[in-house]
Amino acid sequence: MRTMMEETLVVIVRSIISFFTLLIYTRLLGKQQMGNLSYFDYINGITIGSISGTLATDLSSKGWVHFIGLTSFVAITIVFQFVTVKSRYASKVIDSEPTIVVQDGKILEHSLSKMRIKYDELMVMLRQKSVFDITQVRYGILETDGSLSVLLASDYQSVSRKDMKLPPQETGMMTEVVVDGRVLHQNLSQRGKSLGWLKKEIKKRCPGGIKQVAFAAIMPDETLYLDLFNDNVTRETDVSDYRGPF
């Protein structure tokens, strides 16, 4: 019973030390740790939290050892923060850089593959930006923190139908029907379309047929959006100023 009480007291004291140490170190690391989580920041935060938790509850080793480990990890992080502020190259190596994944309504498959993003994930990120029609997108940029920034084409910016005193227009959802050359038959039938209709529509713009289609979707106005593996983008915009290993 006495041993249990002693262990409980030690854990309480360690938890208090761990809490205030983490509070102080988080303040030292700055707001970037919360406000702009890159992959490095995310993994870094998990590691620091894990060491702090071990400091509070691991009674099999001395607390001083974990405290030194936590302090060393935070010190290294602060050093890297100064390095990335001073060196743009180091910043790009550690935090990566934005990548364009949609340009002029076309999905850039090689960029998606590089970022290991699936079509479904891209569609989710677009919907989270209230974009239900990919043809309206001028640029879709995947940021270093994993979020998607969207710039709509000028025709779809600012002015609404209400501003122009036009009658409301029925809106709807975009439904994916082809992904990587494979037909999604259930989605096709849900929109009341047949495989024959799909093949006919694709044939109009792509003589090679479905196998040449990277992504296709039925738009809210019942037209077919088509993105081929070969996008034929005349000039692909490059936002990179870094030619590194990642």
Side-chain angles (χ1 to χ4, degrees):
M1 184 68 178
R2 183 176 180 181
T3 303
M4 184 180 294
M5 290 295 293
E6 289 176 350
E7 289 181 348
T8 301
L9 184 60
V10 170
V11 170
I12 291 174
V13 172
R14 281 192 175 193
S15 296
I16 294 172
I17 294 173
S18 178
F19 175 82
F20 284 102
T21 300
L22 196 60
L23 178 63
I24 293 169
Y25 285 170
T26 302
R27 295 286 292 177
L28 286 174
L29 289 174
K31 293 184 179 180
Q32 182 185 6
Q33 196 71 9
M34 290 192 317
N36 185 26
L37 284 178
S38 65
Y39 293 120
F40 175 76
D41 295 327
Y42 177 71
I43 295 171
N44 192 33
I46 291 176
T47 305
I48 290 175
S50 177
I51 296 174
S52 179
T54 304
L55 168 63
T57 59
D58 185 6
L59 302 182
S60 63
S61 57
K62 294 181 179 179
W64 178 251
V65 176
H66 300 297
F67 181 81
I68 292 297
L70 177 62
T71 303
S72 300
F73 206 92
V74 171
I76 293 170
T77 302
I78 292 174
V79 170
F80 265 90
Q81 285 182 341
F82 278 109
V83 169
T84 54
V85 168
K86 296 296 182 180
S87 171
R88 187 171 181 82
Y89 183 84
S91 175
K92 297 297 183 180
V93 170
I94 294 172
D95 294 330
S96 185
E97 61 180 350
T99 302
I100 295 179
V101 292
V102 180
Q103 181 176 334
D104 295 327
K106 294 182 180 295
I107 300 171
L108 305 181
E109 288 78 21
H110 62 279
S111 295
L112 280 189
S113 178
K114 180 182 176 182
M115 296 293 104
R116 293 184 289 279
I117 300 292
K118 300 192 292 289
Y119 290 104
D120 290 345
E121 293 172 333
L122 177 61
M123 293 304 111
V124 169
M125 288 189 282
L126 285 171
R127 289 194 293 269
Q128 288 174 341
K129 293 293 183 180
S130 299
V131 176
F132 292 86
D133 187 341
I134 195 171
T135 60
Q136 298 178 2
V137 178
R138 174 72 170 121
Y139 290 113
I141 304 174
L142 192 66
E143 305 291 356
T144 57
D145 61 357
S147 64
L148 185 72
S149 297
V150 176
L151 174 66
L152 297 178
S154 58
D155 290 347
Y156 303 99
Q157 292 182 21
S158 301
V159 181
S160 66
R161 295 182 66 85
K162 184 178 180 181
D163 294 330
M164 300 295 292
K165 294 182 171 50
L166 295 174
Q169 187 178 49
E170 189 66 30
T171 57
M173 294 284 289
M174 178 176 67
T175 305
E176 305 96 285
V177 291
V178 179
V179 174
D180 284 332
R182 297 191 301 271
V183 179
L184 306 180
H185 294 280
Q186 182 175 338
N187 288 2
L188 194 62
S189 62
Q190 285 174 351
R191 290 298 294 265
K193 305 295 184 182
S194 66
L195 182 60
W197 173 87
L198 178 64
K199 289 181 177 180
K200 182 180 177 181
E201 291 297 315
I202 291 176
K203 206 73 173 178
K204 291 178 182 177
R205 288 178 281 168
C206 177
I210 293 175
K211 294 300 180 183
Q212 301 298 318
V213 178
F215 182 84
I218 300 175
M219 308 308 292
D221 61 358
E222 300 300 319
T223 58
L224 185 70
Y225 167 80
L226 208 60
D227 185 82
L228 307 180
F229 285 110
N230 184 10
D231 289 312
N232 290 322
V233 176
T234 54
R235 185 182 178 186
E236 187 176 323
T237 302
D238 186 6
V239 295
S240 173
D241 59 3
Y242 159 72
R243 291 292 179 267
F246 309 110

